[in-house]
């Protein structure tokens, strides 16, 4: 009996020492003990695919085509340009609503804030850690004077060192960001008739 | 007349019973402990092709999860970013660092980086990211505090009982929409009973326990 209990303890100790404990870090993929139909010969997004030569399950677009459901018409909303010409539209082609502005603030915080900063002055994280030398201040008169369509275009395609965000931010969201950006810029601008008499005197 | 059975055999049945109970007990304990995702999956931390640190990007720099995983609110799966997303910053930040060679090559040659997938539900499970994050279920519930992981590891079991724990009592885990991507947020005391229950009601959260909710 004594030997039996000793043997059982030894076996248990051996199992524990080989298998370890729950939550131990493992570099090897998980064991699938009853792997019934866990892995099926179908493709999930972004999985490797042995079927096609480039090994992708989500294929790249063929040149000159668009994915189903993607807006492609050359309308001001899709391109930021006046239909038929290359001029940028002056004003947002969407109706500006409180919802659009708050959506814009939300999206700005996700995609723009890391570099341009919460206030749009170019003092984002990348500037603070000294990782980027030049980040445009969105309050620059150069940028304030750009038409809405051009801001949309720059968000979509990028400019100078900034990359384009058309793959990451939807068309509606890009316009929402433009709308919010206008509100941000307005926070540091004033019309002359909004000033008090004393302030107006200082101007001159 | 000599004994057919020696005296010690009197105790044999007792020994056998005790032995069987011990063996069964230890085996059941072993199976319970090891034959579960809590053992097989939790702690899986593969070596990734690029040593990307969520601690730095998400934790220290405070970049929103959705800067890279931008499809999570619209799609059933949460995408791994394209190298072009990395290059939005890394065309300037650490632009000659050898650790990022793979990212630069991937970007210029249009070939994806072969990241190793860590969280993998079985193929017959249809988990939808967008419906969860849009109704106040945070990333942290299933992925753990990724913002504190230098290397991402499997932190939660993601077994069926793990899903059902929440589906049976969604108010316990639901949070305000603006805190979904804040992985450090802790619900104040009484939040689940007061606000959680209200969210479940107002947003018509239908945490179905029907098989077909997840299995199709």
């Amino acid at each position: 009996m004594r030997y039996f209990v000793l043997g059982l303890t030894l076996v248990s100790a051996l199992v524990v020492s080989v298998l370890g404990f729950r939550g131990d870090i493992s570099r090897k993929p998980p064991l699938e003990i009853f792997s019934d139909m866990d892995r099926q010969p179908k493709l999930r997004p972004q999985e490797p695919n042995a079927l096609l030569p480039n090994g992708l399950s989500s294929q790249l677009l063929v040149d000159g085509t668009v994915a189903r459901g993607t807006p492609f018409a050359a309308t001001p909303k899709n391109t930021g340009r006046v239909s038929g010409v290359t001029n940028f539209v002056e004003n947002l082609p969407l109706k500006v609503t409180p919802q659009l502005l708050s959506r814009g603030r939300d999206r700005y915080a996700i995609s723009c804030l890391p570099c341009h900063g919460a206030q749009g002055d170019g003092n984002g994280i990348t500037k603070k850690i000294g990782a980027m030398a030049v980040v445009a201040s969105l309050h620059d008169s150069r940028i304030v004077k750009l038409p809405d369509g051009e801001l949309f275009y720059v968000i979509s395609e990028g400019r100078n060192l900034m990359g384009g965000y058309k793959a990451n931010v939807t068309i509606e969201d890009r316009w929402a960001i433009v709308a919010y950006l206008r509100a941000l810029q307005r926070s540091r601008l004033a019309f002359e008739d909004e000033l008090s008499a004393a302030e107006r005197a200082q101007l001159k | 007349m000599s004994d057919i059975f020696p005296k010690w055999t009197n105790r044999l049945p007792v020994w056998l019973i005790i032995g069987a109970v011990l063996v069964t007990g230890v085996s059941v304990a072993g199976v319970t402990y090891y034959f579960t995702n809590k053992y097989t999956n939790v702690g899986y931390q593969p070596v990734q092709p690029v040593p990307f640190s969520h601690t730095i990007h998400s934790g220290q720099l405070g970049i929103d999860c959705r800067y890279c995983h931008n499809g999570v609110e619209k799609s059933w799966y949460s995408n791994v970013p394209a190298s072009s997303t990395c290059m939005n910053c890394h065309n300037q930040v650490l632009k000659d660092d050898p650790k990022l060679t793979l990212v630069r090559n991937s970007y210029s040659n249009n070939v994806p980086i072969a990241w190793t997938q860590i969280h993998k539900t079985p193929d017959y499970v249809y988990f939808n990211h967008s419906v969860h994050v849009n109704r106040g279920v945070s990333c942290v519930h299933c992925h753990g505090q990724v913002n504190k992981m230098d290397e991402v590891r499997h932190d939660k079991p993601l077994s069926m009982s793990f899903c059902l724990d929440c589906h049976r009592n969604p108010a316990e885990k639901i949070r305000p929409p603006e805190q979904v991507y804040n992985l450090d947020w802790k619900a104040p005391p009484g939040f689940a009973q007061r606000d959680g229950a209200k969210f479940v009601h107002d947003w018509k959260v239908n945490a179905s326990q029907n098989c077909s909710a997840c299995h199709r």
Side-chain angles (χ1 to χ4, degrees), chain B residues 74-126:
Chain B
K74 296 177 296 231
S75 168
W76 67 267
Y77 72 98
S78 174
N79 61 305
V80 176
S83 317
S84 59
T85 305
C86 311
M87 292 303 280
N88 281 337
C89 294
H90 287 290
N91 62 352
Q92 300 161 68
V93 183
L94 303 178
K95 69 175 188 175
D96 300 312
D97 196 299
K99 279 184 280 190
L100 290 163
T101 311
L102 214 56
V103 179
R104 286 190 294 271
N105 289 348
S106 156
Y107 178 68
S108 46
N109 302 335
N110 225 5
V111 175
I113 300 169
W115 300 103
T116 302
Q117 189 179 0
I118 301 170
H119 300 87
K120 237 178 178 174
T121 51
D123 281 355
Y124 47 77
V125 173
Y126 292 80

Coordinates of all heavy atoms in Angstrom, one line a residue, chain B residues 74-126:
Chain B
K74 N -16.7 47.6 -37.6 CA -17.5 47.4 -38.8 C -17.6 45.9 -39.2 O -18.4 45.6 -40.0 CB -16.9 48.2 -40.0 CG -16.9 49.7 -39.8 CD -16.3 50.4 -41.0 CE -14.8 50.0 -41.1 NZ -13.9 51.1 -41.2
S75 N -16.7 45.1 -38.7 CA -16.5 43.8 -39.3 C -16.6 42.7 -38.2 O -16.4 43.0 -37.1 CB -15.1 43.8 -40.0 OG -14.8 42.5 -40.3
W76 N -16.8 41.5 -38.7 CA -16.9 40.4 -37.7 C -15.5 40.1 -37.2 O -15.4 39.5 -36.1 CB -17.6 39.2 -38.3 CG -16.9 38.5 -39.4 CD1 -17.1 38.7 -40.7 CD2 -16.0 37.4 -39.3 NE1 -16.3 37.8 -41.4 CE2 -15.6 37.1 -40.6 CE3 -15.4 36.7 -38.2 CZ2 -14.7 36.0 -40.8 CZ3 -14.5 35.7 -38.5 CH2 -14.2 35.4 -39.8
Y77 N -14.5 40.4 -37.9 CA -13.2 40.1 -37.4 C -12.4 41.4 -37.2 O -12.7 42.4 -37.8 CB -12.4 39.2 -38.4 CG -11.9 39.8 -39.7 CD1 -10.6 40.2 -39.8 CD2 -12.8 39.9 -40.7 CE1 -10.2 40.8 -41.0 CE2 -12.4 40.5 -41.9 CZ -11.1 40.9 -42.1 OH -10.7 41.5 -43.2
S78 N -11.4 41.3 -36.3 CA -10.6 42.5 -36.1 C -9.3 42.3 -36.9 O -8.6 41.4 -36.6 CB -10.3 42.6 -34.6 OG -9.4 43.6 -34.3
N79 N -9.1 43.3 -37.8 CA -8.0 43.1 -38.7 C -6.6 43.4 -38.1 O -6.5 44.2 -37.2 CB -8.2 44.0 -40.0 CG -8.2 45.4 -39.6 OD1 -9.0 45.8 -38.7 ND2 -7.3 46.2 -40.2
V80 N -5.7 42.6 -38.6 CA -4.3 43.0 -38.3 C -3.9 44.0 -39.3 O -4.3 43.9 -40.5 CB -3.4 41.7 -38.5 CG1 -1.9 42.1 -38.3 CG2 -3.8 40.6 -37.5
P81 N -3.3 45.1 -38.9 CA -3.0 46.2 -39.9 C -2.1 45.8 -41.0 O -1.3 45.0 -40.9 CB -2.4 47.3 -39.0 CG -1.8 46.6 -37.9 CD -2.7 45.4 -37.6
A82 N -2.3 46.5 -42.1 CA -1.4 46.4 -43.3 C -0.1 47.1 -42.9 O -0.1 48.0 -42.1 CB -2.1 47.0 -44.5
S83 N 1.0 46.7 -43.6 CA 2.2 47.4 -43.3 C 2.2 48.9 -43.6 O 2.9 49.6 -43.0 CB 3.3 46.8 -44.1 OG 3.2 45.4 -44.1
S84 N 1.3 49.3 -44.5 CA 1.2 50.7 -44.8 C 0.8 51.5 -43.5 O 1.2 52.6 -43.4 CB 0.2 50.9 -45.9 OG -1.1 50.4 -45.5
T85 N 0.0 50.9 -42.7 CA -0.4 51.5 -41.4 C 0.8 51.7 -40.5 O 1.0 52.8 -39.9 CB -1.5 50.7 -40.7 OG1 -2.6 50.5 -41.6 CG2 -2.0 51.4 -39.5
C86 N 1.7 50.7 -40.5 CA 2.9 50.9 -39.7 C 3.7 52.0 -40.3 O 4.3 52.8 -39.5 CB 3.7 49.6 -39.7 SG 2.9 48.1 -39.4
M87 N 3.8 52.1 -41.6 CA 4.7 53.0 -42.3 C 4.2 54.4 -42.2 O 4.9 55.4 -42.5 CB 4.9 52.6 -43.7 CG 5.7 51.3 -43.9 SD 7.3 51.3 -43.1 CE 8.2 52.2 -44.3
N88 N 2.9 54.7 -41.8 CA 2.4 56.0 -41.6 C 3.4 56.7 -40.6 O 3.6 57.9 -40.7 CB 1.0 56.0 -41.0 CG 0.0 55.8 -42.1 OD1 0.2 56.0 -43.3 ND2 -1.2 55.3 -41.7
C89 N 3.8 56.0 -39.6 CA 4.7 56.6 -38.6 C 6.2 56.2 -38.9 O 7.1 57.0 -38.9 CB 4.4 56.2 -37.2 SG 2.8 56.9 -36.7
H90 N 6.3 54.9 -39.2 CA 7.7 54.4 -39.3 C 8.4 54.8 -40.6 O 9.5 54.3 -40.9 CB 7.7 52.9 -39.1 CG 7.5 52.6 -37.6 ND1 8.4 52.9 -36.6 CD2 6.4 52.1 -36.9 CE1 8.0 52.5 -35.5 NE2 6.7 52.0 -35.6
N91 N 7.8 55.6 -41.5 CA 8.6 56.2 -42.6 C 9.5 57.3 -42.0 O 10.4 57.7 -42.7 CB 7.6 56.7 -43.7 CG 6.7 57.8 -43.2 OD1 6.7 58.1 -42.0 ND2 6.0 58.4 -44.1
Q92 N 9.2 57.7 -40.8 CA 10.0 58.7 -40.1 C 10.6 58.2 -38.8 O 11.7 58.4 -38.5 CB 9.2 60.0 -39.8 CG 8.7 60.6 -41.1 CD 7.5 61.6 -40.7 OE1 7.8 62.6 -40.1 NE2 6.3 61.2 -41.1
V93 N 9.8 57.5 -38.0 CA 10.2 57.0 -36.7 C 11.0 55.7 -36.9 O 10.5 54.8 -37.5 CB 8.9 56.8 -35.8 CG1 9.4 56.3 -34.4 CG2 8.1 58.0 -35.8
L94 N 12.2 55.7 -36.3 CA 13.1 54.5 -36.5 C 13.1 54.0 -37.9 O 13.0 52.8 -38.2 CB 12.5 53.3 -35.6 CG 12.3 53.6 -34.1 CD1 11.8 52.3 -33.4 CD2 13.7 53.9 -33.4
K95 N 13.4 54.9 -38.8 CA 13.2 54.5 -40.2 C 14.3 53.7 -40.7 O 14.2 53.1 -41.8 CB 12.9 55.8 -41.1 CG 14.1 56.7 -41.3 CD 13.7 57.7 -42.3 CE 15.0 58.5 -42.6 NZ 14.8 59.5 -43.6
D96 N 15.4 53.6 -40.0 CA 16.5 52.7 -40.5 C 16.7 51.5 -39.5 O 17.7 50.8 -39.6 CB 17.8 53.5 -40.7 CG 17.6 54.5 -41.7 OD1 17.0 54.2 -42.8 OD2 17.9 55.7 -41.4
D97 N 15.8 51.4 -38.5 CA 16.0 50.4 -37.5 C 16.0 48.9 -38.1 O 15.0 48.6 -38.8 CB 15.0 50.5 -36.4 CG 15.3 49.8 -35.1 OD1 15.5 48.6 -35.2 OD2 15.5 50.4 -34.1
P98 N 17.0 48.1 -37.8 CA 17.0 46.8 -38.4 C 15.8 45.9 -37.9 O 15.3 45.0 -38.7 CB 18.3 46.1 -37.9 CG 18.8 47.0 -36.8 CD 18.2 48.4 -37.0
K99 N 15.2 46.2 -36.7 CA 14.0 45.4 -36.3 C 12.8 45.6 -37.2 O 11.9 44.8 -37.2 CB 13.6 45.9 -34.9 CG 14.5 45.2 -33.8 CD 14.0 45.6 -32.4 CE 14.5 47.0 -32.0 NZ 14.2 47.3 -30.6
L100 N 12.9 46.7 -38.0 CA 11.7 47.0 -38.8 C 12.0 46.7 -40.3 O 11.1 47.0 -41.2 CB 11.3 48.5 -38.7 CG 10.7 48.9 -37.3 CD1 10.7 50.3 -37.1 CD2 9.3 48.4 -37.3
T101 N 13.1 46.0 -40.6 CA 13.4 45.6 -41.9 C 12.2 44.9 -42.6 O 11.9 45.2 -43.7 CB 14.6 44.7 -42.0 OG1 15.6 45.3 -41.2 CG2 15.2 44.6 -43.4
L102 N 11.7 43.9 -41.9 CA 10.6 43.1 -42.4 C 9.4 44.0 -42.8 O 8.7 43.8 -43.8 CB 10.2 42.1 -41.4 CG 9.7 40.7 -41.9 CD1 10.8 40.1 -42.8 CD2 9.4 39.8 -40.7
V103 N 9.1 45.0 -42.0 CA 8.0 45.9 -42.2 C 8.2 46.7 -43.5 O 7.4 46.8 -44.4 CB 7.7 46.8 -41.0 CG1 6.6 47.8 -41.3 CG2 7.5 46.0 -39.8
R104 N 9.5 47.2 -43.6 CA 9.8 48.1 -44.8 C 9.7 47.2 -46.0 O 9.2 47.7 -47.1 CB 11.2 48.7 -44.6 CG 11.2 49.8 -43.6 CD 12.5 50.6 -43.7 NE 13.6 49.7 -43.2 CZ 14.0 49.6 -42.0 NH1 13.4 50.3 -41.0 NH2 15.1 48.9 -41.6
N105 N 10.3 46.0 -46.0 CA 10.2 45.1 -47.1 C 8.8 44.8 -47.5 O 8.4 44.8 -48.7 CB 11.0 43.8 -46.9 CG 12.5 44.1 -46.8 OD1 13.0 45.2 -47.2 ND2 13.2 43.1 -46.3
S106 N 8.0 44.5 -46.5 CA 6.6 44.1 -46.8 C 5.9 45.3 -47.4 O 5.1 45.1 -48.4 CB 5.9 43.8 -45.4 OG 4.6 44.0 -45.5
Y107 N 6.2 46.5 -47.0 CA 5.5 47.7 -47.5 C 6.0 47.9 -49.0 O 5.1 48.1 -49.9 CB 5.9 48.9 -46.7 CG 5.3 50.2 -47.2 CD1 3.9 50.4 -47.1 CD2 6.1 51.2 -47.6 CE1 3.4 51.6 -47.6 CE2 5.6 52.4 -48.1 CZ 4.2 52.6 -48.0 OH 3.7 53.8 -48.5
S108 N 7.3 47.8 -49.2 CA 7.7 48.2 -50.6 C 7.5 47.0 -51.6 O 7.3 47.3 -52.8 CB 9.2 48.6 -50.6 OG 10.0 47.7 -49.8
N109 N 7.4 45.8 -51.1 CA 7.2 44.7 -52.0 C 5.7 44.2 -52.1 O 5.4 43.3 -52.8 CB 8.0 43.5 -51.7 CG 9.5 43.8 -51.6 OD1 9.9 44.8 -52.3 ND2 10.3 43.1 -50.9
N110 N 4.9 44.9 -51.3 CA 3.5 44.5 -51.3 C 3.2 43.1 -50.9 O 2.4 42.4 -51.5 CB 2.9 44.8 -52.7 CG 1.6 45.5 -52.6 OD1 1.1 45.8 -51.5 ND2 0.9 45.6 -53.8
V111 N 4.0 42.6 -49.9 CA 3.8 41.2 -49.4 C 3.5 41.3 -47.9 O 4.2 42.0 -47.2 CB 5.1 40.4 -49.6 CG1 5.0 39.1 -49.0 CG2 5.4 40.3 -51.1
P112 N 2.5 40.7 -47.5 CA 2.1 40.8 -46.1 C 3.1 40.2 -45.1 O 3.9 39.2 -45.5 CB 0.8 40.1 -45.9 CG 0.6 39.3 -47.1 CD 1.5 39.9 -48.2
I113 N 3.2 40.7 -43.9 CA 4.0 40.1 -42.9 C 3.3 38.8 -42.3 O 2.1 38.9 -42.0 CB 4.2 41.1 -41.7 CG1 5.0 42.3 -42.3 CG2 5.0 40.4 -40.6 CD1 5.0 43.4 -41.3
A114 N 4.0 37.7 -42.1 CA 3.3 36.5 -41.7 C 3.3 36.5 -40.2 O 4.0 35.7 -39.5 CB 4.1 35.3 -42.2
W115 N 2.4 37.3 -39.6 CA 2.2 37.3 -38.1 C 1.6 35.9 -37.8 O 0.9 35.3 -38.5 CB 1.2 38.4 -37.7 CG 1.6 39.8 -38.1 CD1 1.1 40.5 -39.1 CD2 2.6 40.6 -37.4 NE1 1.7 41.8 -39.1 CE2 2.6 41.8 -38.0 CE3 3.4 40.4 -36.2 CZ2 3.4 42.9 -37.6 CZ3 4.2 41.4 -35.8 CH2 4.2 42.6 -36.5
T116 N 1.9 35.5 -36.5 CA 1.3 34.3 -36.0 C 0.0 34.6 -35.3 O 0.0 35.4 -34.3 CB 2.2 33.5 -35.1 OG1 3.4 33.3 -35.8 CG2 1.7 32.2 -34.6
Q117 N -1.1 34.0 -35.7 CA -2.4 34.2 -35.0 C -2.4 33.6 -33.7 O -2.0 32.4 -33.6 CB -3.5 33.7 -35.9 CG -4.9 34.2 -35.4 CD -6.0 33.7 -36.2 OE1 -5.8 33.0 -37.2 NE2 -7.2 34.0 -35.8
I118 N -2.8 34.3 -32.7 CA -2.8 33.8 -31.3 C -4.2 33.3 -30.9 O -4.4 32.2 -30.4 CB -2.2 34.8 -30.3 CG1 -0.8 35.2 -30.7 CG2 -2.3 34.3 -28.9 CD1 -0.3 36.4 -30.0
H119 N -5.1 34.2 -31.0 CA -6.5 33.9 -30.6 C -7.3 33.3 -31.8 O -7.5 34.0 -32.8 CB -7.2 35.2 -30.1 CG -6.5 35.8 -29.0 ND1 -5.5 36.7 -29.1 CD2 -6.7 35.7 -27.6 CE1 -5.1 37.1 -27.9 NE2 -5.8 36.5 -27.0
K120 N -7.6 32.0 -31.6 CA -8.2 31.3 -32.7 C -9.3 30.5 -32.2 O -9.1 29.5 -31.5 CB -7.1 30.3 -33.3 CG -6.8 30.5 -34.7 CD -5.7 29.5 -35.1 CE -5.4 29.6 -36.6 NZ -4.3 28.8 -37.0
T121 N -10.5 31.0 -32.5 CA -11.7 30.1 -32.1 C -11.8 29.0 -33.1 O -11.3 29.1 -34.2 CB -13.0 31.0 -32.1 OG1 -13.1 31.6 -33.3 CG2 -13.0 32.0 -31.0
P122 N -12.5 27.9 -32.8 CA -12.7 26.9 -33.8 C -13.4 27.4 -35.0 O -14.1 28.4 -34.9 CB -13.5 25.9 -33.0 CG -13.3 26.1 -31.6 CD -13.0 27.6 -31.4
D123 N -13.2 26.8 -36.1 CA -13.8 27.3 -37.4 C -15.3 27.2 -37.4 O -15.9 27.8 -38.2 CB -13.2 26.5 -38.5 CG -11.9 26.9 -38.9 OD1 -11.4 27.9 -38.3 OD2 -11.2 26.3 -39.8
Y124 N -15.9 26.5 -36.4 CA -17.4 26.5 -36.4 C -18.0 27.5 -35.5 O -19.1 27.5 -35.2 CB -17.9 25.1 -36.1 CG -17.2 24.5 -34.9 CD1 -17.5 24.9 -33.6 CD2 -16.2 23.5 -35.0 CE1 -16.9 24.3 -32.5 CE2 -15.6 22.9 -34.0 CZ -15.9 23.3 -32.7 OH -15.3 22.8 -31.6
V125 N -17.1 28.4 -34.9 CA -17.5 29.5 -34.1 C -17.5 30.8 -34.9 O -16.5 31.1 -35.5 CB -16.6 29.6 -32.8 CG1 -17.0 30.8 -32.0 CG2 -16.7 28.4 -32.0
Y126 N -18.7 31.5 -34.9 CA -18.8 32.7 -35.6 C -18.8 33.9 -34.6 O -19.9 34.3 -34.3 CB -19.9 32.7 -36.6 CG -19.7 31.7 -37.7 CD1 -19.9 30.3 -37.5 CD2 -19.3 32.1 -38.9 CE1 -19.7 29.4 -38.5 CE2 -19.0 31.2 -39.9 CZ -19.2 29.9 -39.7 OH -19.0 29.0 -40.7

